[in-house]
Amino acid sequence: MIHYYATIAPAPLPHTGAPEGDAALVLDDGTRTGAISSLAGVVLVELMTEGICREYIKAGRKPPVYRSLNLPDGDAKNAELEIQYAARVRPIEP
């Protein structure tokens, strides 16, 4: 089941219900800003991540998820994941 999500990844995102132009705000001069699709995309990705984590747990495995750096062990746990998945995950910064 964990690999199921990879089979649906190429699918397009569903319609978000965003207003014309994908903007939540129209400023006084008519400038449209505040893309709704960006927020909807983040929510969809986070929901998918949560579902994948649940599948890992159901399979008796620990989900390989980065921890917040605000947690006391965040740096150490993230470093362990980076070593474990070094061939698959590239750092954001060089």
Side-chain angles (χ1 to χ4, degrees):
M1 182 63 162
I2 292 170
H3 298 288
Y4 165 76
Y5 293 99
T7 64
I8 63 169
L13 295 177
H15 178 62
T16 62
E20 184 178 347
D22 190 32
L25 303 169
V26 179
L27 305 180
D28 292 341
D29 71 349
T31 299
R32 294 175 175 267
T33 188
I36 296 293
S37 63
S38 297
L39 296 173
V42 168
V43 170
L44 289 172
V45 168
E46 290 300 332
L47 288 171
M48 194 164 71
T49 301
E50 180 263 341
I52 292 168
C53 288
R54 288 182 183 276
E55 294 299 323
Y56 265 87
I57 293 166
K58 278 200 299 194
R61 298 170 63 193
K62 180 139 182 79
V65 177
Y66 275 109
R67 292 191 183 195
S68 170
L69 296 178
N70 295 326
L71 295 173
D73 63 348
D75 278 331
K77 293 295 183 182
N78 292 343
E80 290 173 15
L81 286 174
E82 288 171 8
I83 290 167
Q84 183 179 353
Y85 293 99
R88 297 177 67 189
V89 177
R90 291 186 286 274
I92 294 172
E93 298 176 3

